[in-house]
Amino acid sequence: MTRTPWIGIIGAGMSGLCIAATLKRAGFDDFTIYEKADKVGGTWRDNTYPGVACDVPSALYQFTFDPNPGWSRLLAPGHEIQGYFERVAGRQGLREHLRLGTNVTKAEHVGGRWHLYAGDTEIDVVDFLVAAAGILHHPRYPDIEGLDDFAGAVFHSARWNHAVPLDGKRVGLIGTGSTGAQILTSLAPRVKRLKVFQRTPQWVFPIINPRVNALPLSVISRLPGAGLAGRLVERSLFEIFIEGVTHDGWQRKFINAMVRANLRTVRDPALRAKLTPDFVPLCRRLILATGYYEAMQRANVDVIVEDIVKVESQGIRTADGVLHEFDVLVLATGFDAQAYIRPTAVIGLDGRTLDEAWKAGPRAYKTVAQPGFPNYFMMMGPHSPVGNFSLTIIAETQANYILRWVREWAAGRIDAVNPIQEAADAFNAELREAAKDTVWATGCRSWYHGADGIPELWPWHPERHQEMLSTLEIDEFEGSSAHA
Ligand code: N01
């Protein structure tokens, strides 16, 4: 190494910890992780709603460099995942790099380095800036008249108010996405009455979530090779979902058959009709849930499909004139998936902001870099392979790619890692063309879609993402002004 880079990482969630650990393990120790909250964990710190769990098998949702042999279930509950990331921060020696309670509000590229600000105060000047602020990060509050007039407790799923009692209460739940589904199945047996406001029905894949640390699995798991065998089995099950979204093959037919068979477990034809989507399974993110329709069929659960007109002090008024009264209102209404690091102001070359660069929607160079923003990298940047995939695998791929550039810089072979606009445009054009052939473009709307209705997701197998980021295409960078 001929010079030592100073690196700033924004966000101490899964992806921030991933790039930090990757740098540290490679011997790059001069970095700070800025985190606006008071602890690490990101999405798993913020989402503490009843029933929160990862619907990706835990053996696949963990870092390969720091595996956890102690997951309690195939799909671990949220608090276990949060505990895992807290332990990763300790085990990987990241705690000394954390600057908690620090909200980076502006990052400006001046004189070849990134100047970081918290409010008016300049807090650091770094050679590399890595945005690891997450995707589903900013809660989206519904634009419903009178929301502030509600007399009871009202909160977003990602801002759960644990001081509010729920047992025996009347609860209104807006939203039937992955979050709403988990809240529904968890709350239904606990509350007096649960009214679920469903704007769009969902396809639901029935999934079992066995304990994996119980006998005889705990015995089996100690056998030589059992861990690897288990991961392979989980991986091949998971592959069905990956193939299902990218190809119209037997996997999609299998998923189709499974979700339709699951829906047929709803006995009442009128309720079944209410719960039947009018789009192709997988077009929106598939709900993977245990007991979704059982919960919907409980005597204390009602599915309300009439449009919400407004919120009043006692509850929700729907278009049929009915006032649905309750004590607690939960907003499982999703996130602003187009924000990424914003509202932090990121200002690149010639004073150009990320907002300006993304006027037509977030578009990056190969998910990780941004033309005009030298030595700026993104974890989980635009078009990363999210969806029903494991994000830890993607994070590791991106972290290793970033590490390669950091090494190039440290060796003095390049000063400014700045992708050429044409290279980013060519990538995005190919990606958007391919997106039109995916299941996501078969006629539905969700956070997967951009303002123009085109899916904003990685349209290929995630392995292609790994291949794409396995080499540095030096000729696609302005910084080919490399000096050896
Ligand atoms: O959010 P969503 P989410 N009036 O946007 C409804 C990940 N995740 O938090 O569909 C009435 O999917 C909205 O209705 P509609 C996962 O990637 C992962 O549930 O727009 N309803 C919808 O039903 C997931 O995809 C796990 O018609 C309104 C719901 O709110 C992502 O997070 C677990 C409304 C929002 O659904 C987001 O899921 C949980 C209004 N005004 C989440 N506004 C894992 O297990 C919104 N809605 C890994």
Side-chain angles (χ1 to χ4, degrees):
M1 206 189 298
T2 59
R3 53 183 173 174
T4 305
W6 185 250
I7 303 165
I9 299 167
I10 299 179
M14 180 277 287
S15 64
L17 296 177
C18 182
I19 178 66
T22 303
L23 290 168
K24 183 126 185 161
R25 294 164 68 83
F28 293 100
D29 211 32
D30 294 316
F31 62 87
T32 301
I33 315 168
Y34 296 97
E35 168 56 57
K36 67 179 182 311
D38 60 0
K39 59 179 175 176
V40 306
T43 204
W44 303 104
R45 177 200 60 225
D46 289 349
N47 286 276
T48 58
Y49 58 79
V52 60
C54 187
D55 61 11
V56 169
S58 301
L60 300 178
Y61 190 84
Q62 60 179 348
F63 297 131
T64 54
F65 55 79
D66 200 338
N68 173 22
W71 297 115
S72 67
R73 289 188 177 273
L74 179 70
L75 314 170
H79 68 86
E80 247 181 64
I81 302 171
Q82 171 65 15
Y84 166 73
F85 286 124
E86 285 180 18
R87 287 194 303 280
V88 166
R91 273 196 299 261
Q92 299 295 325
L94 306 180
R95 295 212 169 275
E96 69 204 58
H97 298 270
L98 281 169
R99 207 159 145 188
L100 299 171
T102 306
N103 186 9
V104 178
T105 52
K106 187 170 94 170
E108 189 167 13
H109 190 264
V110 180
R113 302 188 83 201
W114 285 96
H115 294 242
L116 309 184
Y117 296 83
D120 292 334
T121 312
E122 185 174 283
I123 54 171
D124 208 349
V125 183
V126 295
D127 300 302
F128 284 91
L129 177 61
V130 183
I135 313 169
L136 302 171
H137 171 210
H138 299 287
R140 196 178 53 201
Y141 288 86
D143 186 15
I144 301 175
E145 185 193 330
L147 205 52
D148 294 336
D149 298 338
F150 185 58
V154 50
F155 45 83
H156 190 274
S157 54
R159 299 286 180 271
W160 199 270
N161 184 346
H162 290 276
V164 174
L166 295 165
D167 294 301
K169 299 291 180 191
R170 300 165 307 164
V171 177
L173 170 64
I174 302 181
T176 50
S178 302
T179 304
Q182 291 181 336
I183 294 173
L184 160 78
T185 51
S186 175
L187 278 196
R190 286 177 54 187
V191 299
K192 181 175 173 192
R193 185 135 221 104
L194 181 61
K195 292 201 174 190
V196 184
F197 292 84
Q198 174 195 272
R199 192 164 65 178
T200 310
Q202 295 276 12
W203 288 112
V204 182
F205 190 94
I207 189 149
I208 50 161
N209 189 13
R211 290 196 74 83
V212 290
N213 63 358
L215 284 170
L217 276 175
S218 65
V219 175
I220 295 169
S221 65
R222 287 198 187 92
L223 298 174
L228 178 64
R231 280 195 295 283
L232 285 176
V233 170
E234 281 176 338
R235 173 116 205 180
S236 43
L237 290 174
F238 199 50
E239 196 68 20
I240 293 175
F241 294 102
I242 294 176
E243 287 294 335
V245 293
T246 50
H247 288 106
D248 191 6
W250 69 264
Q251 296 89 345
R252 203 178 285 179
K253 290 187 180 65
F254 168 74
I255 290 167
N256 206 345
M258 288 295 284
V259 296
R260 287 176 196 279
N262 195 24
L263 181 62
R264 284 196 291 276
T265 63
V266 178
R267 293 177 297 277
D268 174 13
L271 177 60
R272 200 184 318 131
K274 277 188 192 178
L275 296 173
T276 304
D278 63 359
F279 53 87
V280 175
L282 286 170
C283 185
R284 294 158 61 98
R285 189 181 195 272
L286 196 63
I287 308 291
L288 307 176
T290 319
Y292 184 82
Y293 293 128
E294 284 92 323
M296 284 294 199
Q297 293 178 88
R298 290 178 62 96
N300 67 333
V301 174
D302 293 306
V303 187
I304 313 296
V305 296
E306 284 75 23
D307 288 344
I308 295 172
V309 174
K310 60 177 172 172
V311 176
E312 300 180 9
S313 67
Q314 299 308 307
I316 286 181
R317 179 83 61 185
T318 44
D320 53 1
V322 175
L323 175 66
H324 303 271
E325 295 188 21
F326 30 75
D327 310 301
V328 180
L329 176 55
V330 176
L331 310 172
T333 46
F335 302 86
D336 176 0
Q338 305 291 302
Y340 295 95
I341 193 173
R342 298 174 290 178
T344 296
V346 183
I347 305 165
L349 294 177
D350 305 322
R352 191 155 176 259
T353 66
L354 202 55
D355 271 342
E356 286 162 355
W358 286 359
K359 219 178 287 164
R363 309 264 183 276
Y365 167 81
K366 296 186 175 177
T367 76
V368 281
Q370 192 67 39
F373 295 73
N375 295 354
Y376 171 72
F377 288 104
M378 291 168 280
M379 296 289 290
M380 300 296 146
H383 303 104
S384 294
V386 302
N388 286 98
F389 306 142
S390 168
L391 300 195
T392 55
I393 297 168
I394 297 148
E396 284 190 33
T397 300
Q398 294 175 333
N400 285 320
Y401 178 83
I402 296 167
L403 171 64
R404 274 188 216 111
W405 277 120
V406 170
R407 282 195 171 122
E408 291 297 302
W409 187 96
R413 287 193 285 269
I414 193 164
D415 289 331
V417 185
N418 183 19
I420 295 167
Q421 186 66 54
E422 290 70 32
D425 289 347
F427 164 72
N428 280 290
E430 191 186 4
L431 182 139
R432 290 170 75 69
E433 206 44 47
K436 293 178 189 161
D437 293 331
T438 62
V439 70
W440 305 307
T442 52
C444 65
R445 283 307 292 262
S446 73
W447 69 266
Y448 279 6
H449 300 87
D452 56 6
I454 296 180
E456 294 284 352
L457 296 177
W458 179 260
W460 303 291
H461 194 288
E463 268 172 17
R464 178 163 168 170
H465 185 252
Q466 283 174 320
E467 279 161 29
M468 177 180 79
L469 296 185
S470 64
T471 49
L472 308 181
E473 303 283 355
I474 295 271
D475 55 339
E476 295 185 347
F477 284 77
E478 308 272 3
S480 316
S481 62
H483 49 84

